[in-house]
Amino acid sequence: MSKTLFEKIAARELPAQIVYEDDRVIAFRDIKPVAPVHVLIVPKKPIPRISEAAPQDEALLSHLLSKAAEVAGTLGLNNSGYRLVINNGPDGGETVPHLHCHIIGGRHMGWPPG
Ligand code: 5GP
């Protein structure tokens, strides 16, 4: 099977500004940021989207979320706050079919989202 866009970034086949990496996840700056801080944190396992995660992915999903919070902290967002977003499927606005969590901060965000 061909690699996803984000697998290619993790394999250094495509450039990205990597801000965190371990054996299970990688975090890098979004190419088209919607806020002063916009980072994607991605499991290296190419789960297409959260709705397709399997029960055996539970520990990985937990790791993804706790590392998202840790990375947000290292990016200086703990005091001002931030938003974690996972887009799933067409109505969710998903454009890259490899599960990822957006870490967005550095400006105030409204609710509900658009
Ligand atoms: P989605 O819409 O699927 O939730 O988010 C996909 C995100 O990936 C978008 O915010 C988009 O800007 C980002 N993106 C798409 N292609 C690239 C790329 O080649 N490099 C990086 N760093 N981000 C990308």
Side-chain angles (χ1 to χ4, degrees):
M1 245 175 47
S2 61
K3 285 181 187 162
T4 69
L5 178 66
F6 293 160
E7 282 181 290
K8 287 178 186 169
I9 287 176
R12 274 51 173 190
E13 292 169 12
L14 289 174
Q17 290 180 51
I18 295 166
V19 298
Y20 176 80
E21 181 173 25
D22 63 27
D23 58 327
R24 288 182 282 171
V25 300
I26 186 165
F28 49 88
R29 294 194 187 273
D30 197 291
I31 203 167
K32 212 173 154 191
V34 298
V37 178
H38 188 173
V39 163
L40 303 175
I41 184 162
V42 180
K44 290 184 175 177
K45 178 179 176 181
I47 300 166
R49 57 193 57 81
I50 190 74
S51 61
E52 292 179 44
Q56 59 266 30
D57 295 322
E58 195 174 321
L60 176 59
L61 297 179
S62 167
H63 184 72
L64 181 74
L65 210 48
S66 63
K67 285 298 166 183
E70 192 178 300
V71 169
T74 64
L75 293 170
L77 298 175
N78 272 346
N79 287 338
S80 53
Y82 54 90
R83 188 170 288 178
L84 301 181
V85 175
I86 296 177
N87 296 324
N88 190 99
D91 278 359
E94 173 202 310
T95 59
V96 176
H98 180 150
L99 176 61
H100 50 281
C101 177
H102 297 254
I103 303 166
I104 306 169
R107 67 168 171 83
H108 184 75
M109 278 162 274
W111 190 264

